[in-house]
Amino acid sequence: MSKVSYFTSESVGAGHPDKIADQISDAVLDGILTSDSESRVACETFVTTGLCLIGGEISTDTYVDLSKIVRDTIEGIGYTEPDIGFYYKDLAVMNVIHEQSVDIAQGIVKTSAEEQGAGDQGLMFGYAIDHTDTLMPLPIHLSHELVRNVAKLRENKVLSYLRPDSKSQVAIKYEDGKPVSASKVVMAAQHKEDVSQEKIKEDLVEHLIKPIIGDFFTSETEVIVNGTGKFVIGGPHGDAGLTGRKIIVDTYGGWGRHGGGAFSGKDPSKVDRTGGYAARYIAKNIVSSGLATQCEVQIAYSIGVAEPFSFNVDTFGTGTKSDEEIAKDVRNAMDLRPGLLIEKFDLKRPIYKQTAAYGHFGRTDVDLPWEKTDLF
């Protein structure tokens, strides 16, 4: 008799308050790296009705118009209507950014990439599994596709009544560890006042949910659209947003472990970001090379120290050789010191805003160096 289980992941769209904050923080990072690739950036963003507050630590030799970056980012997301409660032209932008602590800087700024220490202590996980072409868990993959494509339906005016905020959630039924169907799909899509929930559900099932869920959509799949019965008030007008509050959405949807550190707004000297990207790259390459069908990698660092605090590979019994042997193969093929990881992935570039919505991993719409399969 087969073993049946269920696993659920969620995603949120670019217009979700927390994702607005992530995108602003990464847009600030990109804007600064464009002119000064050696900058140190840790930018946090808070958004609510009529207000965007940016704070944190930045050390740089360049100047960027932070207010313009904030407004351009919000305009690009789609908050272009004055009556929506969060309008890019008339919101207040507050800037309380200061310089990075010299105590932190002395452990990071070194004469060579080999000597550069980690920007903080911490532990990062990377994961890959062969259930999708992108080697991502299926529930988070489908959840991302739903919110990415509901935005396209709005931007392309296929469903002109939609507004920027959205959330998705997908429950996948597994038999003996393999995905067989979507048992439930939840879609929350912000909309204008003068449209019925019946029409919204009918449109989203036809234009979004069935095409994205594909063969995993069955006659038994339960669909919930705007479960409260209405989603007119949304975005930062409906709920405040903060950078780094969607770390599970950004990674693997709860499938596998998480070290707790967020990505957005941080330059690559921060190992939360660089170590997390390296761990995904390693796990993906282990699976793509046929060494295992699933893999979780942990890397840990200590502040100011270049060599990893620890490194571990777990293939959950699916490896073609022992986990210890695979870990040794990885360490022979790749140097995990932060400065060398930055060089390997060419991370001192303005590539980060594009990661701040729809996940940092498993992306096929953008070219991300940690998604390449060229390690072995």
Side-chain angles (χ1 to χ4, degrees), residues 123-229:
L123 49 138
M124 303 88 219
F125 289 95
Y127 186 83
I129 191 167
D130 66 353
H131 288 176
T132 61
D133 291 341
T134 58
L135 303 186
M136 289 288 285
L138 183 61
I140 188 66
H141 171 78
L142 293 176
S143 295
H144 284 325
E145 288 300 296
L146 287 170
V147 289
R148 189 203 319 274
N149 283 277
V150 80
K152 291 180 181 178
L153 292 174
R154 175 181 59 83
E155 292 163 0
N156 296 334
K157 302 189 184 317
V158 175
L159 302 179
S160 58
Y161 56 78
L162 292 176
R163 282 178 160 171
D165 199 356
S166 65
K167 296 182 75 172
S168 64
Q169 191 165 293
V170 178
I172 294 296
K173 178 182 178 181
Y174 291 81
E175 292 183 0
D176 295 329
K178 298 294 183 182
V180 295
S181 65
S183 62
K184 292 185 180 181
V185 177
V186 175
M187 193 68 216
Q190 188 187 14
H191 57 88
K192 296 180 180 178
E193 184 79 54
D194 56 346
V195 57
S196 71
Q197 294 303 313
E198 291 76 14
K199 176 171 177 53
I200 294 171
K201 182 172 182 178
E202 180 182 327
D203 286 347
L204 291 182
V205 169
E206 177 186 353
H207 294 287
L208 178 71
I209 294 172
K210 283 185 175 179
I212 295 301
I213 303 302
D215 291 341
F216 293 102
F217 192 94
T218 71
S219 59
E220 297 180 353
T221 300
E222 181 182 350
V223 176
I224 301 171
V225 173
N226 293 342
T228 67

Side-chain angles (χ1 to χ4, degrees), residues 102-125:
V102 294
D103 294 341
I104 295 175
Q106 69 180 357
I108 302 170
V109 180
K110 300 292 185 180
T111 57
S112 69
E114 290 82 1
E115 294 178 324
Q116 179 176 324
D120 200 353
Q121 71 179 48
L123 49 138
M124 303 88 219
F125 289 95

Side-chain angles (χ1 to χ4, degrees), residues 173-346:
K173 178 182 178 181
Y174 291 81
E175 292 183 0
D176 295 329
K178 298 294 183 182
V180 295
S181 65
S183 62
K184 292 185 180 181
V185 177
V186 175
M187 193 68 216
Q190 188 187 14
H191 57 88
K192 296 180 180 178
E193 184 79 54
D194 56 346
V195 57
S196 71
Q197 294 303 313
E198 291 76 14
K199 176 171 177 53
I200 294 171
K201 182 172 182 178
E202 180 182 327
D203 286 347
L204 291 182
V205 169
E206 177 186 353
H207 294 287
L208 178 71
I209 294 172
K210 283 185 175 179
I212 295 301
I213 303 302
D215 291 341
F216 293 102
F217 192 94
T218 71
S219 59
E220 297 180 353
T221 300
E222 181 182 350
V223 176
I224 301 171
V225 173
N226 293 342
T228 67
K230 190 177 183 181
F231 190 11
V232 173
I233 299 172
H237 186 45
D239 187 14
L242 289 167
T243 301
R245 205 158 59 174
K246 287 292 177 282
I247 59 175
I248 300 303
V249 170
D250 284 344
T251 52
Y252 308 100
W255 190 293
R257 288 170 281 195
H258 197 293
F263 296 142
S264 290
K266 299 177 180 178
D267 75 80
S269 73
K270 281 71 172 175
V271 286
D272 281 336
R273 178 158 233 160
T274 300
Y277 293 167
R280 161 63 177 175
Y281 172 77
I282 293 166
K284 185 175 183 181
N285 275 267
I286 288 170
V287 174
S288 68
S289 65
L291 287 170
T293 58
Q294 66 171 316
C295 180
E296 184 179 74
V297 170
Q298 187 198 49
I299 312 173
Y301 291 94
S302 178
I303 189 168
V305 179
E307 285 293 339
F309 189 80
S310 67
F311 176 72
N312 187 67
V313 171
D314 187 351
T315 62
F316 306 95
T318 70
T320 58
K321 57 173 88 172
S322 72
D323 292 344
E324 292 80 5
E325 288 177 296
I326 295 174
K328 187 177 292 185
D329 290 343
V330 171
R331 295 306 304 270
N332 287 336
M334 184 175 177
D335 198 311
L336 299 179
R337 286 177 285 181
L340 296 177
L341 290 177
I342 291 169
E343 287 187 346
K344 177 178 178 62
F345 297 129
D346 193 14

Side-chain angles (χ1 to χ4, degrees), residues 12-24:
V12 299
H16 184 279
D18 294 329
K19 280 288 124 195
I20 295 172
D22 284 341
Q23 289 166 94
I24 291 170

Side-chain angles (χ1 to χ4, degrees), residues 79-101:
Y79 285 91
T80 56
E81 300 174 61
D83 65 341
I84 205 169
F86 193 73
Y87 178 44
Y88 79 101
K89 284 186 178 181
D90 66 7
L91 61 87
V93 179
M94 296 181 61
N95 175 3
V96 291
I97 288 170
H98 57 86
E99 284 193 335
Q100 183 184 60
S101 162

